[in-house]
């Protein structure tokens, strides 16, 4: 029997509506009732001044293995997740070969077990070879561990294929995580189409490329009763559509990313490819709409949309560079800055977006909560510690972040997976000095 | 010339010339005046100067170009610089080496100025962050083509005495035109009124935020314009059909003799070239008395001499590291 006591922290668990200073007791990898009387444990962590919350969950990240091991491996990506405070991540299937059959899903799970960092739940491909034409073996993928389905950054352009996919996955109660974008409107685009794309002479992607697909997906979800989850939505009009659809009872959910909250298309003025992301960064009014949607719970998830790329792929001409930010290790401080310190969300509201929301989307019953008996995945956050993001110190193999050198507040100090302390932040003395 | 009253800065301080967006009216005028000085010297028989003797100018052309490359090369030679030419068709990545590595290799051979033409917008900005030498943008994707706009400004000023108060119409494919973007910055800063004219598919609506007016009818624009700059339709940059046919484009937006007769008597016809005869412009207009197209080519040489000269001076006069901060994004 092993025990862990986390003493004196502010325990925030939106799943059980808890927000109080107290102690958390873990026995044999599960959250346990606090023993009465004098409590002793194999290990005690002093969490005074810190937030103790369920381990963070990211519904979709790219881990690149197999096929693109120069960008990331399952081992390095899960180490990055731990450093960012994540205990479970959903892994996108857009590898080479893609995760479109049972064996490849089991490979992901096996590699994650070997790495021994955080939990990884594979997302299966919706279509064979991610080609958007024929459904993948969805039932067998579920048997291999797939928690949900996605074709990653490839939009399923064929509406009939998407309709069938929603009908079929409904049978299993699984969601389809879709990248809502009309390919022909986005083709060759580098950034949001608007004032700055005009100024910079960069090919724009109109917001309509996202909005049209959001409307289509909502219509198909409404028609089929299937669950469509829209990944990394970024446009104001998309938000309006999602809000109205949810009011009608359509099974549609969505997430936003920290970089779409922290940055605008103005950043592209530097022509720095680290600002090239998919969907593109939008102007301020879109960003405000995303924040409003988080506040009124139209959007229940925040995901890092971790897209690591080796430096030689990113440091090049903007139109040749791939899109994406290496996001696992910066989500927490960026959200603390843009959402909590700026007064938009409370701590329980924010934590809900990275615990309850993704756990529900991926159907992870015993995670995303500190309820007694659930798996003891816990993150301990120092909410105030000031630190400077240093891409060179990332656990991820890639360094593609526009936030390198930015001074931020708040950081995961301990990441506990199944009762086991898998990560301890040693860079800041803040935690121990308290 | 209308620049006598304009206060000049003590010295040119920019290490790079990446675009006209960041230049002040005073700096624009400084370049035009320097070019005028070179033109005067040439007319007086001083074709060759030794201002850049001992320095090396590299022409890095990652996109095909004949006239701009030749003009830069000749300008450098007129100033007694050594020149090296590097041309690569298409993307540098197609050869396996990155654009930055190619440029760093050339710089290591002892280059003090680098003239860059690239099909990607922002490539000169990227380069300026990685090299120590001066970077001169010779056209980047659909972003800017500063020396082309400067020679347009020079030609207009030479013919009309001043830029301020003139109405200049840029006609054609504004969306894909780096010449249009640089022209808009330069013309607006020097006090001109700018009209952009072309099919709705080739004019970004946000362009009015730069203080320009949009027309979709050439005959309307024609009545108001002192100068018409007829931009080439950039077929190679378009990703599909932006208008139904070439003949329809020529019908609606081509400058021909009939239209010229309805324009102002003293209208100036400019074109950055190469021109598609019969599309944007008919031969009678291109070769007619209103056309200053060949003067533009002549003036391009002195404009590029002026740019090379001023950047060289900034390098010489700046204490180490001084002239770097202002224009590095």
């Amino acid at each position: 029997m092993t025990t862990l006591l986390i003493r004196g922290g502010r325990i925030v668990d939106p799943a059980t509506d808890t927000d109080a200073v107290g102690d958390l007791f873990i026995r044999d990898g599960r959250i346990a009732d606090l023993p009465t009387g004098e409590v002793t444990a194999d290990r005690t962590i002093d969490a005074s001044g810190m937030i103790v919350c369920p381990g963070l969950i990211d519904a979709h990240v790219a881990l690149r293995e197999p096929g693109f091991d120069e960008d990331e491996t399952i081992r390095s990506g899960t180490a990055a997740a731990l450093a960012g405070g994540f205990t479970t991540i959903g892994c996108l299937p857009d590898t080479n070969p893609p995760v479109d059959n049972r064996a490849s899903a089991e490979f992901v799970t096996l590699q994650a077990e070997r790495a021994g960092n955080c939990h990884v739940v594979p997302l299966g491909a919706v279509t064979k070879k991610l080609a958007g034409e024929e459904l993948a073996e969805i039932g067998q993928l579920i048997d291999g561990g797939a928690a949900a389905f996605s074709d990653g950054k490839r939009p399923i352009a064929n509406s009939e294929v998407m309709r069938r996919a929603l009908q079929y996955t409904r049978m299993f109660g699984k969601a389809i995580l879709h990248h809502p974008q009309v390919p022909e409107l986005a083709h060759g685009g580098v950034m949001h189409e608007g004032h700055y794309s005009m100024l910079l002479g960069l090919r724009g992607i109109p917001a309509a490329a996202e909005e049209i697909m959001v409307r289509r997906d909502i219509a198909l979800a409404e028609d089929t009763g299937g669950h469509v989850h829209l990944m990394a939505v970024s446009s104001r009009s998309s938000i309006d559509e999602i809000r109205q659809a949810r009011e009608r009872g359509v099974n549609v959910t969505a997430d936003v990313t920290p970089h779409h909250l922290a940055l605008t298309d103005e950043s592209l003025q530097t022509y720095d490819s680290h600002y090239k992301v998919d969907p593109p960064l939008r102007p301020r009014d879109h960003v405000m709409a995303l924040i409003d949607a988080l506040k009124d719970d139209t959007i229940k998830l925040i995901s890092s949309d971790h897209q690591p790329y080796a430096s030689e792929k990113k440091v090049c001409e903007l139109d040749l560079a791939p899109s994406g930010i290496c996001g696992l290790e910066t989500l927490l401080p960026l959200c603390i800055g843009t959402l909590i310190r700026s007064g938009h969300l409370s701590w329980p509201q924010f934590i809900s977006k990275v615990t309850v929301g993704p756990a529900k989307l991926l159907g992870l019953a015993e995670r995303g909560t500190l309820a007694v008996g659930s798996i003891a995945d816990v993150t301990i956050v120092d909410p105030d510690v000031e630190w400077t993001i240093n891409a060179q110190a990332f656990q991820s193999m890639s360094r593609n972040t526009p936030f390198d050198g930015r001074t931020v507040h708040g950081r995961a100090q301990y990441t506990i997976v199944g009762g086991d302390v898998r990560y301890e932040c040693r860079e800041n003395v803040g935690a121990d000095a308290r | 010339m209308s620049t006598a009253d304009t206060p000049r800065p003590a010295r040119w301080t920019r290490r790079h010339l990446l675009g006209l967006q960041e230049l002040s009216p005073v700096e624009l005028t400084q370049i035009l005046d320097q070019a005028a000085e070179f033109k005067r010297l040439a007319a007086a028989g001083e074709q060759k100067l030794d201002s850049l003797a001992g320095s090396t100018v590299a022409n890095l052309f990652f996109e095909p170009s004949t006239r701009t490359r030749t003009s830069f090369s000749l300008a450098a030679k007129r100033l007694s610089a050594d020149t090296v030419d590097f041309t690569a068709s298409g993307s540098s990545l197609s050869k396996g080496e990155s654009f930055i590595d190619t440029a760093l290799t050339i710089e290591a051979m002892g280059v003090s100025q680098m003239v860059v033409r690239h099909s990607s917008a922002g490539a000169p900005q990227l380069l300026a962050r990685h090299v120590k030498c001066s970077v001169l943008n010779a056209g980047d994707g659909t972003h800017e083509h500063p020396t082309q706009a400067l020679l347009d400004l020079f030609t207009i000023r030479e013919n009309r005495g001043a830029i301020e108060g003139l109405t200049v119409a840029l006609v054609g494919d504004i969306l894909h035109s780096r010449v249009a973007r640089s022209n808009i910055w330069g013309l607006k800063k020097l006090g001109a009124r700018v009209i952009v004219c072309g099919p709705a598919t080739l004019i970004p609506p946000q362009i009015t935020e730069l203080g320009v007016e949009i027309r979709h009818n050439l005959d309307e624009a024609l009545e108001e314009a002192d100068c018409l700059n007829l931009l080439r339709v950039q077929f190679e940059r378009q990703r599909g059909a932006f208008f139904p046919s070439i003949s329809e484009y020529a019908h609606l937006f081509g400058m021909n003799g009939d239209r010229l007769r309805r324009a102002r008597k003293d209208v100036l016809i400019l074109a950055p070239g190469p021109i598609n005869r019969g599309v944007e412009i008919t031969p009678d207009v291109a070769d007619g008395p209103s056309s200053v197209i060949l003067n533009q080519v002549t003036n391009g040489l002195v404009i590029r001499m002026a740019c090379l000269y001023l950047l060289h001076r900034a390098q010489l006069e700046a204490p180490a590291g001084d002239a770097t901060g202002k224009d590095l994004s």
Side-chain angles (χ1 to χ4, degrees):
Chain A
M1 188 177 84
T2 56
T3 52
L4 174 66
L5 176 66
I6 301 164
R7 178 165 275 166
R10 175 180 168 190
I11 299 172
V12 179
D13 179 23
T16 56
D17 206 17
T18 306
D19 183 2
V21 173
D23 300 342
L24 190 72
F25 193 68
I26 293 166
R27 181 186 291 123
D28 289 338
R30 300 235 168 213
I31 306 290
D33 279 317
L34 201 63
T36 48
E38 184 70 17
V39 184
T40 55
D42 298 329
R43 181 172 178 188
T44 301
I45 293 172
D46 176 10
S48 51
M50 297 206 232
I51 305 241
V52 178
C53 63
L56 310 188
I57 303 171
D58 194 330
H60 59 90
V61 308
L63 291 181
R64 304 275 188 250
E65 182 187 351
F68 308 100
D69 306 38
E70 66 276 18
D71 300 329
E72 192 82 284
T73 61
I74 291 173
R75 181 178 295 278
S76 67
T78 50
L82 287 180
F86 293 93
T87 54
T88 301
I89 53 178
C91 175
L92 287 168
D94 49 359
T95 46
N96 184 24
V99 180
D100 64 355
N101 58 63
R102 178 173 179 157
S104 50
E106 288 174 346
F107 168 80
V108 172
T109 314
L110 183 62
Q111 285 295 82
E113 280 171 14
R114 283 177 178 147
N117 291 319
C118 69
H119 305 290
V120 177
V121 289
L123 304 180
V126 181
T127 65
K128 286 175 187 155
K129 296 187 168 65
L130 310 170
E133 289 164 7
E134 294 174 78
L135 294 186
E137 291 165 339
I138 284 169
Q140 294 184 53
L141 277 159
I142 291 169
D143 289 344
F149 293 86
S150 178
D151 273 359
K153 288 288 179 187
R154 296 198 197 184
I156 300 166
N158 184 318
S159 301
E160 175 62 6
V161 171
M162 185 63 170
R163 193 170 106 99
R164 279 196 217 116
L166 283 164
Q167 287 170 332
Y168 199 76
T169 49
R170 191 189 166 195
M171 213 162 52
F172 306 98
K174 301 287 186 188
I176 291 180
L177 282 67
H178 191 228
H179 178 47
Q181 194 173 68
V182 177
E184 57 271 25
L185 286 174
H187 179 72
V190 170
M191 66 177 296
H192 172 76
E193 182 178 288
H195 173 79
Y196 286 101
S197 68
M198 177 273 299
L199 209 64
L200 299 169
L202 290 171
R203 188 167 283 174
I205 301 173
E210 177 179 311
E211 292 153 3
I212 291 169
M213 197 61 105
V214 164
R215 285 174 205 165
R216 183 205 73 169
D217 286 352
I218 287 170
L220 292 176
E222 196 158 18
D223 175 50
T224 61
H227 179 180
V228 68
H229 175 82
L230 304 165
M231 295 189 289
V233 293
S234 61
S235 139
R236 187 184 50 207
S237 178
S238 301
I239 296 294
D240 293 341
E241 292 290 332
I242 293 164
R243 184 178 286 122
Q244 288 166 26
R246 288 184 61 80
E247 282 166 8
R248 290 201 301 277
V250 181
N251 201 354
V252 56
T253 51
D255 65 77
V256 296
T257 80
H259 45 274
H260 287 100
L261 302 172
L263 301 169
T264 65
D265 60 341
E266 202 179 335
S267 309
L268 269 301
Q269 283 188 102
T270 57
Y271 285 101
D272 182 345
S273 65
H274 288 129
Y275 294 101
K276 184 179 174 185
V277 292
D278 184 18
L281 300 174
R282 306 281 186 198
R284 177 63 55 192
D285 56 326
H286 293 263
V287 174
M288 292 318 295
L290 301 185
I291 292 174
D292 288 343
L294 287 167
K295 286 163 87 167
D296 72 10
D297 228 19
T298 298
I299 292 181
K300 294 176 184 294
L301 281 81
I302 297 170
S303 68
S304 71
D305 199 19
H306 183 71
Q307 295 288 338
Y309 284 105
S311 64
E312 66 271 19
K313 295 182 184 172
K314 260 303 203 186
V315 181
C316 63
E317 299 89 317
L318 201 51
D319 43 3
L320 300 176
S323 298
I325 284 175
C326 194
L328 282 169
E329 290 168 79
T330 53
L331 177 140
L332 192 54
L334 291 174
C335 288
I336 290 172
T338 55
L339 298 173
I340 297 177
R341 290 174 72 92
S342 57
H344 294 301
L345 294 189
S346 66
W347 272 99
Q349 282 176 312
F350 163 66
I351 287 170
S352 169
K353 312 284 184 193
V354 282
T355 57
V356 179
K360 197 169 172 197
L361 173 66
L362 300 178
L364 307 172
E366 291 185 300
R367 300 200 191 120
T369 175
L370 298 177
V372 170
S374 54
I375 294 168
D377 292 347
V378 182
T379 301
I380 303 178
V381 179
D382 184 332
D384 301 316
V385 62
E386 185 179 289
W387 61 291
T388 301
I389 294 170
N390 174 12
Q392 294 309 312
F394 276 0
Q395 296 294 318
S396 171
M397 277 170 63
S398 291
R399 309 277 177 255
N400 50 304
T401 174
F403 302 108
D404 190 29
R406 181 182 277 217
T407 297
V408 290
H409 293 86
R411 191 170 195 178
Q413 296 296 339
Y414 297 90
T415 308
I416 298 161
V417 180
D420 186 16
V421 180
R422 297 267 172 92
Y423 173 79
E424 269 187 77
C425 180
R426 300 190 189 281
E427 281 182 57
N428 305 108
V429 290
D432 300 320
R434 272 166 204 285
Chain B
M1 305 285 167
S2 66
T3 54
D5 311 331
T6 317
R8 288 196 194 184
R11 59 184 169 90
W12 179 269
T13 56
R14 288 182 187 274
R15 186 157 68 99
H16 308 298
L17 180 65
L18 303 178
L20 298 195
Q21 183 183 359
E22 62 258 33
L23 297 193
S24 67
V26 171
E27 288 171 314
L28 286 167
T29 305
Q30 200 178 354
I31 299 172
L32 299 183
D33 290 350
Q34 186 61 53
E37 175 66 8
F38 283 137
K39 191 160 186 178
R40 189 188 65 74
L41 287 171
E46 291 194 57
Q47 291 278 351
K48 183 114 175 170
L49 306 166
D50 60 1
S51 316
L52 265 67
S55 74
T56 303
V57 175
N59 285 314
L60 269 63
F61 279 66
F62 292 88
E63 186 186 67
S65 159
T66 307
R67 64 184 65 211
T68 305
R69 185 165 51 82
T70 309
S71 182
F72 266 111
S73 193
L74 195 54
K77 288 185 170 83
R78 290 268 165 91
L79 296 169
S80 302
D82 292 326
T83 57
V84 287
D85 282 355
F86 175 88
T87 52
S89 55
S91 155
S92 57
L93 287 181
S94 65
K95 291 183 143 192
E97 188 180 47
S98 79
F99 163 56
I100 296 297
D101 283 336
T102 303
L104 287 173
T105 304
I106 305 251
E107 186 186 32
M109 295 176 192
V111 166
S112 59
Q113 299 201 42
M114 216 168 249
V115 176
V116 183
R117 158 72 60 97
H118 200 293
S119 58
S120 296
Q125 280 77 0
L126 176 68
L127 198 58
R129 281 202 289 273
H130 285 87
V131 297
K132 294 182 191 71
C133 66
S134 291
V135 175
L136 218 158
N137 182 0
D140 62 323
T142 53
H143 178 221
E144 282 225 45
H145 193 349
T147 58
Q148 175 66 44
L150 286 162
L151 72 88
D152 293 340
L153 294 172
F154 186 88
T155 306
I156 294 170
R157 195 178 81 161
E158 190 176 49
N159 280 276
R160 303 301 294 265
I163 307 278
E164 192 171 2
L166 295 179
T167 297
V168 179
L170 305 171
V171 183
D173 182 355
I174 308 299
L175 179 66
H176 298 101
S177 177
R178 53 195 175 207
V179 175
R181 281 176 182 73
S182 287
N183 259 280
I184 290 167
W185 291 119
L187 288 164
K188 292 296 295 179
K189 286 176 192 207
L190 295 183
R193 173 181 169 224
V194 179
I195 295 171
V196 293
C197 177
T201 46
L202 291 175
I203 296 186
Q206 301 86 356
I207 204 144
T208 53
E209 291 159 25
L210 302 183
V212 308
E213 299 161 44
I214 296 176
R215 300 279 188 281
H216 299 304
N217 182 327
L218 178 57
D219 292 310
E220 279 176 29
L222 206 58
E223 290 171 13
E224 304 173 79
D226 297 297
C227 305
L228 286 163
N229 199 343
L230 305 172
L231 306 177
R232 191 170 63 85
V233 178
Q234 311 249 322
F235 293 107
E236 74 280 10
R237 294 195 193 283
Q238 298 180 3
R239 54 170 176 179
F242 280 78
F243 48 82
S245 70
I246 290 175
S247 79
E248 173 148 327
Y249 182 87
H251 173 68
L252 293 174
F253 298 102
M255 193 63 198
N256 53 39
D258 277 348
R259 286 205 161 104
L260 189 61
R261 277 186 282 282
R262 294 201 294 276
R264 295 187 178 184
K265 291 258 179 303
D266 56 351
V267 70
L268 282 188
I269 304 288
L270 297 99
I275 56 174
N276 297 324
R277 283 177 185 256
V279 182
E280 307 95 25
I281 188 165
T282 53
D284 55 328
V285 178
D287 305 327
S290 302
S291 165
V292 288
I293 295 172
L294 288 176
N295 303 49
Q296 289 174 271
V297 178
T298 308
N299 291 336
L301 187 61
V302 289
I303 281 292
R304 287 170 182 125
M305 286 171 72
C307 293
L308 290 167
Y309 174 74
L310 290 170
L311 296 188
H312 180 69
R313 280 243 320 261
Q315 282 184 354
L316 290 183
E317 293 173 12
D322 176 44
T324 58
K326 193 172 176 182
D327 48 1
L328 278 175
S329 52

